[in-house]
Amino acid sequence: MKKRTYIYKGFERFWHWSQALLIFFLALTGFEIHGSFSLFGFKDVVKWHDMAAWAFIVLIVFAIFWHFATGEWKQYIPTTKLVKAQISYYITGIFKGAPHPTHKTIYNKFNPLQRLIYLGLKLLIIPLQVGTGLVYMFYIYPNNPAHVGGLGLVAIIHTFGAFSLLAFIIAHVYLTTTAETPLTSIKAMLTGWEAIDVDEKEERSKHLQQAVNDSAAGYYRIDSNGIFVDVNQAWLDFYKCTQRDQIIGKHYSITRDKKDLAELDLLVSRVLFGEFITGVPATRKCMDGSSGKHLLSANPVIENEEVIGMEGFVLNISEAEGLSEHMYYTVRNSGAGYYRLDDKGIIVEVNNAWLELYKYDNKEQIIGKHYSITRSPNEVENLEKSFNSVMKGETITGKIAIRKCRDGSTGRHILSANPVFVGNQAVGMEGFILDITTLEQD
Amino acid sequence: MRIEKESKKEFIKLLVLFMAIITPWILGIAYFSKPADSVAEHSIKLVNYKADVGSRVDHQKFLILQQDFKTPQDVTAACVSCHNMAGQDIMRSSHWTWAREYVTESGDTLQLGKKNMINNFCIGVSSNEARCTSCHIGYGWEDENFDFTDSRNIDCIVCHDQTGTYKKFPTAAGYPVNEAKKFGNTLFQAPDYAFIAQNVGSPSRQNCGVCHFVGGGGNNVKHGDIAMESNQASKEIDVHMAIEGANMDCVACHIADEHNITGNLYSVSSDNTNSITCDQCHTNYPHKNQTLNDHSNKVACQTCHIPKYAKASATKMNWDWSSAGQFNEDGSTLIKKDSAGNITYHSMKGTFVWENMITPEYYWFNGKADHYLLGDKVDTIDAIQVNSLLGSYEDEFAKIFPVKVHRGRQIYDPVNQILILPHLFGKDSSAYWTGYDWNKAAKAGMKSAKLPYSGQYTFARTEMYWPINHMVAPAEESLGCSDCHSRDGHLANLAGFYLPGRDRSIFLDRVGFILIVMAIAGVAFHATLRIAGKRNN
């Protein structure tokens, strides 16, 4: 399962791109010092190379700290598992469109080859470059700071390291293009976000936790003495609590009127004996003295095979809930035709009036079809325009349209349409139609 | 609306990342591009130097100097009657002995110097004394019997004359003339000793220059970095001696204690005692830039600060004795000159090569030199090293020095495998410059030097090394980094160490180049296959 995930943290990206820039600049200045070309002039280029070297060393110190502080160093622990698979993927599989043999997760960001190469860089090439670079920088006399017998060997090792890094960068930049799209990896390294494989189990438990927290149902937990241990925000809202400590540590008896308390006492004692309660209507007493109705679920909290408390959800049954139920029947029974399309223009819901207007016998005949089926060929364009503008967020309040019925006949109606939102995303279009065929004839 | 907001947030995040990476670089550039080593003039840091001011004495007031001196020795007697320790001091000095004590590796103490060494010009003193010793600070050293212990023979005034009228005659064993006499086209007047003796003082550039600027028989022949123009030098020629610059006399640096003048000339000196170094005045950290100061561990100041020598008059770079002895058809002396008036051929001496504005050659040098000593057996496979500067990169005390290398061809005994010291000067027919017979000259010269001569001679290639110390250029003309740190820079021929910018492992560079090419080719190949694979799928 893939999920857009924040995989590269802020410092990590800063470190990566700074390092990239520094290595590039060090190579540029380094090869000028080497005598490969002339750009800055020897005096300035040495100064620049030294400065970049110090910046690199500072960056490395911070990066080492970051890797240990965050535990990210574990990402680099080498593994021989799947190395062969990864190699054979790059040699053959990739050309046939085979899937990546390893999956990127937040705990395993690197494939086994990456682990080996990056670890090699961190433990061999970069220390080699820093070490020889420092000797190079401070070696100004045969015996100072260490007797290395001249710069020859040091310079040659340093040059070797530079060639290795350059070759690495070429391969590294190329291999970033092997993800889903050529720019996927680079975008991820820039923004930090990438669609990666997530651990379903973990994802689920994380999500459930979140769900309880953010649920519209009120969650509560009490201990075996009936004292509140935890509630969520929705619960606080239902009970008109402004602060958690108004309720945490209090006995559940304050949530009921005296006349309703006995019912709850009984329920609690049943649950503490291990029973599950799936949906009981109850009348709560709110903190401000008002009351409300809800459905209550309750189950025992078990730890070490012992019931240590009770938890569950409350679902509000308020005036508004009644209203939405009413609305549901209104639409269902309305004389106006109701329809809903998804973002591809597929019809996902219609009401009876709609079926009647279009002369369908039942829903199954039309659900899953594209809206173009409801128009004669020369009328489709009109609907398509409306659909497109609605999908961009517009609302159409009244437009005359000519429908094509199932039997081929036509009729005229006034059409309303509005986008269906999920979050900030328009995922479909819905609206009503009012038949005006007879009206026109009059 | 929310979508826009999201992407705006994303953009700001990226911007922050970008700024975090870029800002240190901008700060760095701003910091480093400050004109830290600006050309803005800063005063040169000096220690220990102040112009030497002796106690003032008016020699005209001394009665003893108001006499009618008959001989130059009378003047010397008058001098030492007051300066009564000066005679002893002088007679210990190498200006007098033309030799210095030198302890060999085996522990023997030798007297080595001009007296008994050969050079790459007029070769050797023995048997030619009367000509050579016109530059000796004494009177009458005409053969080996000269008495080095008689202080009356000291020539005080050649160094101390401030009138500019005193001149020794070129072929008179150090004596001036008694009555007016010509040498070539130059007329030498008998000196007015009383006038000169009453006008003596600390030696000026002219005093030193009468010998040292014209060593080898003409202006700038030997040294290359000191010449007659040093008397009237501009800053471009020599910042120290420049009239409009520091205007320093020779003795400002070549300070003397008890007439022992500091400084070594490695044509005759072997050891680095008594030497003068730049840092005596300029300190060990004369630059603001620490990297430049660090360079002085391995690079002599002279190397960067004397980018050229023989800046005005030319100096002799090559002397080929083997071609001597050719004459005009009428039998008169054959003399050829180049457009600048330098003699390029002379019947007496052979063929010369002159150059000016010369870039020095560079050698490791630790302040000690080796010399060819008369009688040393040597083959002629390589040029015979008349002297050699010791030191190498590994030598803790060695630095890179600028050097004038004087090359030549000298007479050589192929049987005994030794250089011949020929008898050049004299009225006798065995003198080469009289009889033009190398065989006789060799026989007489080697007899005088108490060395064997096989009767056979040939000419061997020779080289002699002259470290360059004068003609220090203005700071802005000194060498820059890339003059040496480049593939074909000034130090292109100085082997034995790794010089960044000059040296590399050609093997590694090839391997590295192939590695990069292979990486690029591999990537291109892989990418092509991928694209092709995608199409097929």
Side-chain angles (χ1 to χ4, degrees):
Chain A
M1 183 177 130
K2 288 211 183 245
K3 193 186 168 210
R4 208 168 121 78
T5 312
Y6 189 54
I7 181 168
Y8 302 116
K9 306 293 183 291
F11 175 80
E12 198 173 11
R13 287 176 286 144
F14 166 74
W15 162 63
H16 173 270
W17 290 111
S18 292
Q19 178 166 271
L21 213 58
L22 283 167
I23 289 179
F24 173 76
F25 189 71
L26 283 164
L28 184 77
T29 52
F31 276 103
E32 180 172 354
I33 293 169
H34 185 60
S36 303
F37 50 84
S38 192
L39 187 67
F40 296 95
F42 196 87
K43 183 180 174 181
D44 286 336
V45 88
V46 168
K47 203 163 69 183
W48 280 114
H49 195 74
D50 282 1
M51 184 193 130
W54 282 116
F56 196 27
I57 287 170
V58 170
L59 186 67
I60 287 170
V61 169
F62 277 97
I64 289 173
F65 176 77
W66 179 84
H67 275 91
F68 283 103
T70 60
E72 283 288 303
W73 64 274
K74 291 175 193 144
Q75 301 267 9
Y76 299 90
I77 297 171
T79 164
T80 51
K81 213 173 117 190
L82 291 172
V83 169
K84 272 188 190 161
Q86 191 67 36
I87 291 172
S88 75
Y89 169 73
Y90 283 133
I91 293 175
T92 58
I94 190 168
F95 306 124
K96 301 172 191 156
H100 279 267
T102 53
H103 297 283
K104 200 172 193 173
T105 72
I106 199 155
Y107 302 105
N108 187 10
K109 289 197 285 208
F110 307 132
N111 71 45
L113 269 186
Q114 279 178 304
R115 280 177 182 247
L116 280 174
I117 299 286
Y118 295 171
L119 188 70
L121 276 186
K122 279 166 191 278
L123 292 187
L124 289 175
I125 302 294
I126 287 176
L128 194 72
Q129 288 303 79
V130 171
T132 52
L134 285 173
V135 174
Y136 208 135
M137 214 186 275
F138 289 106
Y139 185 84
I140 44 172
Y141 201 67
N143 300 316
N144 180 22
H147 188 63
V148 294
L151 277 178
L153 187 65
V154 175
I156 283 168
I157 295 172
H158 202 67
T159 312
F160 167 78
F163 277 123
S164 311
L165 274 171
L166 219 55
F168 163 76
I169 286 171
I170 292 166
H172 179 66
V173 170
Y174 171 68
L175 288 173
T176 61
T177 67
T178 60
E180 240 153 281
T181 75
L183 289 179
T184 300
S185 297
I186 288 178
K187 268 188 198 155
M189 195 35 105
L190 278 170
T191 63
W193 288 88
E194 186 178 3
I196 57 162
D197 292 303
V198 288
D199 184 318
E200 288 192 38
K201 235 176 164 180
E202 214 218 36
E203 177 62 19
R204 185 165 171 270
S205 73
K206 231 183 191 174
H207 193 87
L208 282 178
Q209 194 181 354
Q210 195 73 13
V212 171
N213 237 2
D214 300 347
S215 173
Y219 167 81
Y220 67 92
R221 178 151 59 95
I222 57 177
D223 67 12
S224 53
N225 298 320
I227 305 298
F228 277 97
V229 182
D230 195 8
V231 293
N232 71 356
Q233 189 58 44
W235 194 97
L236 292 172
D237 292 344
F238 291 165
Y239 279 85
K240 301 200 168 70
C241 286
T242 47
Q243 294 193 330
R244 272 169 62 85
D245 50 16
Q246 278 181 293
I247 187 66
I248 303 296
K250 303 277 165 54
H251 192 261
Y252 65 79
S253 56
I254 68 163
T255 67
R256 291 291 182 274
D257 256 355
K258 269 180 193 155
K259 58 179 168 58
D260 299 323
L261 190 56
E263 202 180 336
L264 186 56
D265 286 339
L266 182 64
L267 187 141
V268 170
S269 59
R270 276 165 63 193
V271 171
L272 290 179
F273 271 106
E275 205 172 319
F276 279 64
I277 310 291
T278 49
V280 181
T283 304
R284 67 179 174 268
K285 191 180 106 191
C286 301
M287 295 315 266
D288 63 354
S290 65
S291 60
K293 283 190 166 178
H294 60 241
L295 278 175
L296 175 78
S297 80
N299 55 271
V301 180
I302 296 169
E303 207 177 275
N304 298 328
E305 297 173 15
E306 200 180 321
V307 176
I308 58 157
M310 168 179 123
E311 66 182 351
F313 292 90
V314 295
L315 272 172
N316 210 17
I317 317 170
S318 63
E319 306 297 306
E321 293 293 330
L323 189 65
S324 79
E325 190 182 339
H326 180 75
M327 291 280 280
Y328 170 74
Y329 288 110
T330 306
V331 172
R332 207 177 75 175
N333 302 329
S334 170
Y338 169 80
Y339 68 91
R340 194 163 81 237
L341 311 177
D342 71 5
D343 59 345
K344 307 232 163 40
I346 306 298
I347 296 161
V348 293
E349 177 70 316
V350 292
N351 66 359
N352 287 335
W354 193 95
L355 290 172
E356 251 167 60
L357 286 171
Y358 276 87
K359 303 192 172 113
Y360 284 90
D361 301 330
N362 52 50
K363 278 190 187 179
E364 282 68 40
Q365 291 170 335
I366 188 65
I367 301 289
K369 302 275 168 38
H370 191 258
Y371 62 73
S372 53
I373 201 169
T374 66
R375 291 291 181 275
S376 46
N378 54 340
E379 287 287 324
V380 170
E381 198 188 330
N382 269 338
L383 185 54
E384 195 174 284
K385 268 187 202 159
S386 306
F387 177 73
N388 287 340
S389 60
V390 169
M391 289 307 287
K392 279 181 196 142
E394 264 179 55
T395 296
I396 295 164
T397 48
K399 194 175 173 185
I400 293 170
I402 300 167
R403 67 179 178 273
K404 191 184 106 191
C405 302
R406 194 189 173 206
D407 60 2
S409 64
T410 57
R412 292 165 71 85
H413 59 244
I414 293 176
L415 170 100
S416 81
N418 57 272
V420 180
F421 281 112
V422 169
N424 60 347
Q425 194 83 26
V427 299
M429 166 175 128
E430 65 180 357
F432 292 91
I433 57 174
L434 268 175
D435 187 45
I436 53 169
T437 317
T438 46
L439 208 69
E440 288 286 306
Q441 281 164 352
D442 293 347
Chain B
M1 275 301 280
R2 282 187 64 188
I3 297 169
E4 254 176 50
K5 231 179 184 176
E6 280 283 307
S7 67
K8 206 171 176 187
K9 241 176 152 183
E10 198 93 300
F11 175 76
I12 288 169
K13 270 186 178 173
L14 270 179
L15 196 71
V16 168
L17 174 66
F18 180 72
M19 291 305 289
I21 293 169
I22 287 299
T23 311
W25 288 77
I26 293 169
L27 289 177
I29 291 169
Y31 179 76
F32 272 91
S33 57
K34 264 198 321 191
D37 299 315
S38 68
V39 283
E41 280 197 28
H42 55 275
S43 57
I44 291 169
K45 186 164 51 180
L46 291 176
V47 293
N48 299 332
Y49 175 74
K50 66 180 198 317
D52 198 10
V53 184
S55 50
R56 288 177 65 213
V57 169
D58 185 352
H59 283 83
Q60 292 180 28
K61 296 280 188 325
F62 293 121
L63 282 174
I64 195 167
L65 301 180
Q66 292 167 7
Q67 57 172 304
D68 182 17
F69 296 105
K70 292 282 185 280
T71 65
Q73 278 93 342
D74 293 344
V75 181
T76 303
C79 296
V80 297
S81 68
C82 290
H83 300 280
N84 55 15
M85 298 303 285
Q88 291 174 36
D89 293 343
I90 280 288
M91 288 190 291
R92 278 198 298 269
S93 79
S94 57
H95 269 98
W96 174 258
T97 59
W98 281 13
R100 278 179 182 168
E101 271 191 7
Y102 174 69
V103 182
T104 63
E105 279 174 17
S106 53
D108 299 328
T109 302
L110 299 176
Q111 290 290 328
L112 288 183
K114 200 176 185 67
K115 181 162 78 177
N116 51 7
M117 285 177 186
I118 66 161
N119 64 50
N120 213 21
F121 297 84
C122 287
I123 305 179
V125 173
S126 183
S127 81
N128 304 306
E129 285 88 348
R131 181 71 180 88
C132 303
T133 57
S134 65
C135 270
H136 182 243
I137 54 158
Y139 301 120
W141 181 1
E142 54 189 6
D143 55 33
E144 58 194 296
N145 299 319
F146 179 65
D147 183 2
F148 285 95
T149 61
D150 185 355
S151 65
R152 281 168 40 83
N153 282 333
I154 297 166
D155 185 348
C156 302
I157 47 183
V158 71
C159 298
H160 293 283
D161 166 37
Q162 300 300 301
T163 68
T165 62
Y166 179 78
K167 286 188 173 61
K168 286 161 162 292
F169 193 71
T171 59
Y175 279 106
V177 288
N178 294 325
E179 51 199 43
K181 192 176 173 183
K182 268 188 145 183
F183 180 80
N185 297 322
T186 317
L187 183 66
F188 284 77
Q189 299 281 2
D192 178 349
Y193 291 119
F195 173 57
I196 292 165
Q198 289 168 25
N199 290 284
V200 290
S202 178
S204 66
R205 288 199 293 271
Q206 283 82 352
N207 290 111
C208 303
V210 292
C211 286
H212 290 284
F213 295 167
V214 296
N219 182 34
N220 208 11
V221 167
K222 274 184 177 170
H223 288 263
D225 60 343
I226 50 172
M228 293 305 282
E229 58 263 28
S230 303
N231 285 330
Q232 300 293 330
S234 64
K235 266 187 178 174
E236 283 64 39
I237 289 175
D238 190 314
V239 289
H240 292 114
M241 290 193 256
I243 302 286
E244 79 275 30
N247 197 12
M248 291 161 73
D249 281 325
C250 305
V251 293
C253 294
H254 294 271
I255 51 172
D257 190 17
E258 299 172 355
H259 276 100
N260 174 28
I261 296 174
T262 52
N264 289 312
L265 184 62
Y266 288 93
S267 56
V268 290
S269 299
S270 304
D271 223 337
N272 60 352
T273 52
N274 215 31
S275 54
I276 302 164
T277 54
C278 305
D279 62 291
Q280 287 170 0
C281 290
H282 289 283
T283 77
N284 280 323
Y285 37 91
H287 309 99
K288 284 188 174 171
N289 181 326
Q290 185 56 32
T291 305
L292 289 182
N293 288 335
D294 290 342
H295 272 69
S296 66
N297 284 331
K298 285 278 121 188
V299 181
C301 309
Q302 292 92 319
T303 297
C304 299
H305 290 282
I306 312 177
K308 300 267 186 207
Y309 67 95
K311 291 181 193 169
S313 56
T315 188
K316 204 172 274 187
M317 297 303 285
N318 198 300
W319 182 328
D320 182 358
W321 278 99
S322 68
S323 60
Q326 297 167 33
F327 294 89
N328 289 317
E329 280 174 22
D330 62 359
S332 61
T333 307
L334 172 61
I335 296 173
K336 293 180 192 165
K337 290 184 177 177
D338 64 15
S339 57
N342 300 310
I343 295 174
T344 55
Y345 181 82
H346 197 294
S347 303
M348 291 163 72
K349 297 174 179 173
T351 311
F352 307 132
V353 176
W354 297 79
E355 286 175 31
N356 60 0
M357 286 306 273
I358 305 164
T359 301
E361 295 177 44
Y362 298 92
Y363 290 90
W364 290 107
F365 181 40
N366 61 12
K368 297 183 178 183
D370 204 358
H371 293 273
Y372 179 86
L373 298 183
L374 281 169
D376 284 352
K377 274 191 191 295
V378 65
D379 63 45
T380 57
I381 297 163
D382 294 319
I384 294 168
Q385 305 293 293
V386 175
N387 69 339
S388 44
L389 306 177
L390 302 180
S392 65
Y393 174 71
E394 286 76 23
D395 185 336
E396 195 182 342
F397 299 103
K399 298 180 183 188
I400 297 168
F401 268 83
V403 176
K404 170 189 170 178
V405 183
H406 182 268
R407 298 181 168 86
R409 281 167 73 82
Q410 282 192 30
I411 186 165
Y412 172 78
D413 182 338
V415 177
N416 290 318
Q417 291 191 305
I418 55 177
L419 278 172
I420 292 168
L421 194 166
H423 176 40
L424 296 169
F425 174 79
K427 294 275 185 313
D428 54 308
S429 68
S430 63
Y432 184 76
W433 290 341
T434 305
Y436 291 100
D437 183 335
W438 276 122
N439 197 36
K440 282 186 183 169
K443 207 169 167 180
M446 292 305 265
K447 191 183 168 195
S448 161
K450 301 185 177 67
L451 285 167
Y453 172 55
S454 68
Q456 289 183 44
Y457 67 89
T458 181
F459 289 86
R461 286 182 301 127
T462 54
E463 284 177 357
M464 191 172 188
Y465 300 84
W466 295 73
I468 299 294
N469 292 303
H470 306 94
M471 293 198 175
V472 172
E476 60 272 17
E477 283 173 27
S478 50
L479 295 186
C481 306
S482 52
D483 285 316
C484 297
H485 292 283
S486 56
R487 293 271 186 264
D488 294 308
H490 282 231
L491 300 184
N493 297 321
L494 191 65
F497 69 108
Y498 187 95
L499 177 61
R502 179 192 73 170
D503 294 328
R504 57 183 164 156
S505 158
I506 291 173
F507 171 74
L508 176 63
D509 273 17
R510 283 203 188 127
V511 169
F513 181 74
I514 291 167
L515 183 71
I516 301 304
V517 168
M518 274 168 56
I520 293 170
V523 160
F525 180 66
H526 199 269
T528 312
L529 286 182
R530 262 173 74 201
I531 292 164
K534 217 172 223 176
R535 275 206 192 129
N536 290 344
N537 287 342

